[in-house]
């Protein structure tokens, strides 16, 4: 019998609503507005009904463009993440609320205060997905522009996190009086001033927001590069990854993170590993492939496929048939622009086109089919029982601690997962049947913050 290294492990779920993207099927009649509060409320309350750990908002600081024009095949226009999550705190009770916030184009005193406010107002349910940016295109939206060299982005992020944590820890746990008969509303000296003066920040602040029941917001991170993984091992409590489709790469990544944690002086289980994934469910096994194909073809429409290929070839290809062959001509030789996001940012057009042609020839694929194969990150498809078995295998063999699910339809994309998949996981003893606590840190089974141990 194969040894199961984590026989009692249970699956953790988060739901990820992306910022700018083309994987959400916005054109479907059942799709809701990407701006109206009701869309976000329904997703968050459905996830909470399904006992998810967290509702996670992606956030882009600039809309994607192609040839100088806004990319109209993408979802765009999301409200500010912290503002949106603060509103959701008032209509939910338990689910964690995680905001993507950039360490390059924010300042620690301001962002630490806004995140602490969300944490206090939600009763200890806030999380921060700390992301970095070095591209000048995004920086054009900000006063200092693309001022940060690539090599410095994690250095600034580390100093940003250290400063934010010091701000959060500046209030003592017993700072605020708990009885009206107390002589003052806070203990003398309960709040201390934070001062930092280095090449990244000059801060002198007496923080205004007390500590939440979970100590401070849970730190999320999505590092995949060696530098990003080391950064996560030093600072993060949850890590996202793109390894949410195939077991072996996911296990390699998880084992690498655990080794880096130990090297950083932390327990090997001190981070929750939640790869991003999609889940497509069908009641009958005979329906699975048809539903999966429908999802992929709705995500990568003909217009989207031509737009993606146009980025590689460096010219407008909208006149081509997406269900025909790849362009016969050679692409322009320049580097692919970062205005479409980071997936191919900095790659040589000719090399990418060569890879596309090799794939098309070996599998006899059309342009659209190549775009699907090279762009779509899928995940799991099957009956609820099949998917439950596979997710349980992942967590009990150490490939992940759970999954950050990107629904392909919003706001209805979690309905089948909550109604069909969650009960199957519960029947296997691999999913909670109730929330054990009230804070995000408790849902994730995390230790106290690193600075408070």
């Amino acid at each position: 019998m194969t040894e199961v290294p984590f026989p009692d492990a249970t699956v953790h779920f988060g739901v990820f609503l992306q910022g700018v993207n083309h994987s959400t099927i916005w054109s479907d009649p059942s799709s809701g507005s990407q701006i109206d509060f009701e869309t976000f409320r329904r997703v968050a309350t459905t996830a909470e009904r399904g006992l998810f750990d967290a509702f996670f908002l992606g956030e882009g600081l600039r809309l994607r463009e192609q040839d100088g024009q806004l990319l109209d095949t993408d979802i765009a226009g999301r409200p500010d993440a912290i503002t949106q999550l603060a509103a959701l705190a008032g209509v939910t009770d338990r689910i964690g609320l995680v905001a993507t916030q950039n360490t390059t184009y924010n300042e620690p005193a301001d962002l630490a205060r806004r995140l602490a406010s969300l944490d206090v107002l939600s009763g200890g349910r806030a999380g921060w997905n700390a992301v970095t940016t070095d591209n000048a295109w995004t920086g054009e939206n900000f006063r200092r522009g693309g001022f940060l060299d690539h090599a410095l982005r994690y250095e600034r992020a580390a100093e940003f996190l250290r400063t934010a944590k010091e701000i959060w820890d500046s209030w003592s746990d017993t700072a605020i009086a708990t009885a009206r008969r107390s002589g003052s509303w806070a203990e003398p000296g309960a709040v201390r001033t934070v001062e930092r003066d280095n090449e990244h920040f000059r801060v002198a602040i007496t923080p205004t927001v007390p500590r939440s029941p979970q100590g401070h917001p849970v730190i999320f991170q999505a590092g995949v590069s060696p530098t990003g993984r080391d950064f996560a091992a030093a600072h993060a409590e949850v890590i996202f990854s793109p390894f949410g489709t195939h077991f072996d790469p996911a296990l390699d990544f998880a084992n690498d993170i655990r080794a880096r944690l130990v090297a950083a002086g932390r327990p090997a289980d001190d981070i929750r590993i939640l790869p991003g994934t999609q889940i497509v469910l069908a009641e009958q096994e005979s329906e699975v492939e048809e539903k999966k194909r429908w999802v992929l073809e709705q995500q990568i429409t003909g217009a989207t496929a031509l737009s993606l290929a146009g980025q590689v070839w460096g010219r407008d290809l909208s006149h081509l048939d997406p269900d025909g062959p790849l362009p016969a001509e050679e692409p322009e030789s320049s580097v692919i622009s970062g205005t479409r996001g980071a997936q191919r940012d900095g790659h040589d057009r000719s090399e990418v086109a060569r890879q596309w042609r090799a794939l098309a020839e070996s599998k006899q694929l059309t342009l659209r089919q190549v775009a699907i194969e090279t762009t779509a990150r899928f995940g799991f498809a099957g009956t609820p029982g099949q998917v439950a078995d596979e997710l349980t295998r992942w967590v009990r063999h150490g490939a992940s601690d759970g999954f950050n699910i990107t629904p392909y339809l919003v706001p209805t994309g979690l309905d089948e997962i909550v109604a069909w998949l969650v009960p199957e996981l519960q029947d296997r003893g691999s999913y909670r049947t109730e929330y054990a606590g009230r804070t995000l840190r408790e849902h994730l089974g995390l230790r106290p913050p690193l600075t408070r141990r």
Side-chain angles (χ1 to χ4, degrees):
M1 180 177 290
T2 303
E3 180 184 357
V4 179
F6 306 98
D8 300 319
T10 56
V11 176
H12 292 266
F13 277 157
V15 57
F16 174 32
L17 289 196
Q18 298 186 59
V20 180
N21 74 92
H22 64 250
S23 65
T24 303
I25 305 173
W26 58 266
S27 58
D28 188 86
S30 65
S31 182
S33 166
Q34 299 294 312
I35 298 174
D36 290 351
F37 178 70
E38 175 57 23
T39 295
F40 298 88
R41 184 203 65 79
R42 178 166 175 183
V43 174
T45 55
T46 301
E48 187 169 70
R49 189 172 71 251
L51 305 175
F52 280 44
D53 289 11
F55 175 93
F56 168 45
L57 278 180
E59 186 166 70
L61 297 178
R62 184 166 177 173
L63 301 180
R64 288 180 184 157
E65 299 175 10
Q66 183 158 319
D67 302 323
Q69 301 295 318
L70 290 183
L71 192 62
D72 58 8
T73 55
D74 270 6
I75 290 288
R78 289 284 171 80
D80 170 72
I82 293 179
T83 304
Q84 184 72 266
L85 294 173
L88 290 171
V91 296
T92 57
D93 295 315
R94 297 293 184 91
I95 194 165
L97 304 166
V98 185
T100 298
Q101 294 292 298
N102 197 291
T103 59
T104 304
Y105 300 117
N106 280 294
E107 295 297 324
D110 173 62
L111 183 56
R113 182 176 187 270
R114 290 189 288 126
L115 287 166
S117 298
L118 176 63
D119 206 24
V120 168
L121 292 172
S122 65
R125 294 189 282 139
W128 172 20
N129 179 36
V131 298
T132 65
T133 301
D134 67 339
N135 73 65
W137 174 72
T138 298
E140 289 174 2
N141 275 7
F142 297 86
R143 176 171 59 86
R144 286 179 288 184
F147 71 98
L148 191 65
D149 290 339
H150 180 85
L152 296 177
R153 62 181 180 139
Y154 278 117
E155 184 179 317
R156 176 184 166 95
E159 183 59 30
F160 198 120
L161 279 166
R162 283 190 287 267
T163 304
K165 290 176 182 180
E166 189 171 347
I167 291 170
W168 293 331
D169 289 337
S170 64
W171 284 66
S172 71
D173 291 329
T174 59
I176 299 176
T178 57
R180 290 183 180 274
R181 63 179 178 272
S182 300
S184 63
W185 69 273
E187 294 180 348
V191 185
R192 57 183 174 80
T193 298
V194 174
E195 295 184 0
R196 298 185 84 84
D197 189 350
N198 54 50
E199 61 181 301
H200 294 290
F201 307 112
R202 294 185 65 185
V203 174
I205 179 176
T206 303
T208 60
V209 183
R211 294 167 60 77
S212 81
Q214 69 172 352
H216 64 60
V218 175
I219 304 300
F220 291 65
Q221 206 264 339
V224 175
S225 68
T227 304
R229 297 183 192 202
D230 283 339
F231 179 84
H235 300 284
E237 297 167 292
V238 181
I239 187 167
F240 298 136
S241 81
F243 303 109
T245 299
H246 302 295
F247 180 88
D248 289 342
L251 181 60
D252 290 343
F253 176 80
N255 286 336
D256 181 63
I257 292 298
R258 294 181 186 116
R260 290 175 194 261
L261 282 169
V262 173
R266 297 173 62 183
D269 64 348
D270 215 30
I271 280 182
R272 296 291 170 263
I273 302 168
L274 303 179
T277 199
Q278 288 188 105
I279 295 176
V280 174
L281 300 174
E283 291 187 278
Q284 303 297 324
E285 188 172 357
S286 59
E287 301 169 349
V288 172
E289 283 305 313
E290 181 181 356
K291 190 168 183 180
K292 178 180 176 180
R293 185 171 63 253
W294 177 84
V295 170
L296 288 172
E297 290 178 352
Q298 293 300 309
Q299 290 174 323
I300 309 293
T301 64
T304 297
L306 290 171
S307 178
L308 290 166
Q311 186 195 20
V312 174
W313 264 261
R315 56 175 63 92
D316 181 9
L317 300 178
S318 59
H319 60 285
L320 295 182
D321 178 4
D323 296 314
L326 292 170
E329 62 268 33
E330 289 301 309
E332 295 183 4
S333 59
S334 59
V335 170
I336 295 175
S337 168
T339 63
R340 286 291 303 274
Q343 186 170 11
R344 296 187 183 91
D345 184 11
H347 286 64
D348 179 79
R349 295 181 192 274
S350 297
E351 174 60 22
V352 176
R354 186 195 65 76
Q355 294 171 3
W356 279 37
R357 282 178 171 145
L359 180 63
E361 183 177 351
S362 65
K363 294 188 175 182
Q364 297 298 299
L365 302 179
T366 66
L367 184 154
R368 185 182 184 190
Q369 290 169 333
V370 171
I372 289 173
E373 289 230 2
T374 59
T375 304
R377 289 176 180 167
F378 200 74
F380 302 92
T383 65
Q386 289 172 333
V387 174
D389 285 340
E390 186 64 4
L391 302 189
T392 300
R393 181 174 81 93
W394 276 54
V395 299
R396 292 189 172 170
H397 285 83
S400 74
D401 293 296
F403 302 88
N404 202 31
I405 300 170
T406 300
Y408 55 86
L409 283 175
V410 173
T412 60
L414 292 184
D415 292 358
E416 293 175 351
I417 291 171
V418 171
W420 299 350
L421 179 58
V422 165
E424 290 282 352
L425 290 166
Q426 290 170 331
D427 287 347
R428 289 158 175 75
S430 55
Y431 197 81
R432 64 167 62 98
T433 56
E434 61 181 357
Y435 284 113
R438 303 200 70 89
T439 70
L440 176 56
R441 192 171 296 278
E442 289 174 308
H443 302 339
L444 290 161
L446 293 171
R447 298 177 177 87
L450 286 169
T451 57
R452 306 292 294 180
R453 297 184 189 176

